[in-house]
Amino acid sequence: VLSFIIFICYIASLAASFMMAPLLEFLLALFLFFAYASKLNEKFKGVHWPLTDFLRCVTAAIIYFAISIAAVSKYSDGASKAAGVFGFAATIVFAFDFYITFNDLVTFLKQGSSDSPEGHKTQ
């Protein structure tokens, strides 16, 4: 929702060149939401879903931070300032999601690494 709000703010502002990043992030978040909701993560075991979510959070936090600094410092209209402020809020939200996802990723990787040595020992 926050990515969509930022996208709308960038469309209405002079900083319309930054609108693609929030749109792509919104679509990626929507895809992952529906993938988890429809249990695609259980059907497609070849995709490392926690790693995909982790990379999405990291890149989103970095990109939102960078474009928010540019929008706030370079453009003076209200919509650009609002998009920058919402972008900083999104940076904090994605950083928090990054932390939660990182813990899930570590659990996922420990689970995968604990299975493989036992299999080698029994052989």
Side-chain angles (χ1 to χ4, degrees):
V1 173
L2 195 56
S3 294
F4 187 70
I5 292 171
I6 295 169
F7 171 69
I8 297 297
C9 287
Y10 278 127
I11 286 177
S13 72
L14 296 174
S17 60
F18 295 135
M19 74 176 181
M20 199 58 169
L23 177 64
L24 288 176
E25 184 54 43
F26 172 70
L27 293 175
L28 281 172
L30 199 63
F31 169 73
L32 284 174
F33 174 74
F34 283 120
Y36 281 118
S38 63
K39 307 264 190 223
L40 283 178
N41 58 337
E42 295 173 1
K43 293 177 186 175
F44 295 107
K45 296 289 185 181
V47 178
H48 298 288
W49 293 97
L51 182 62
T52 305
D53 199 19
F54 174 76
L55 291 175
R56 182 191 60 87
C57 291
V58 169
T59 57
I62 293 169
I63 289 171
Y64 274 130
F65 186 68
I67 65 173
S68 295
I69 288 175
V72 169
S73 64
K74 189 175 179 183
Y75 298 98
S76 61
D77 61 319
S80 295
K81 300 286 184 190
V85 169
F86 281 124
F88 287 127
T91 301
I92 293 169
V93 168
F94 281 114
F96 182 68
D97 192 21
F98 161 84
Y99 175 73
I100 292 171
T101 307
F102 180 74
N103 290 334
D104 291 343
L105 182 63
V106 168
T107 304
F108 176 78
L109 292 176
K110 283 182 181 178
Q111 178 185 19
S113 66
S114 67
D115 293 342
S116 55
E118 292 173 1
H120 293 303
K121 290 179 185 177
T122 58
Q123 291 176 357

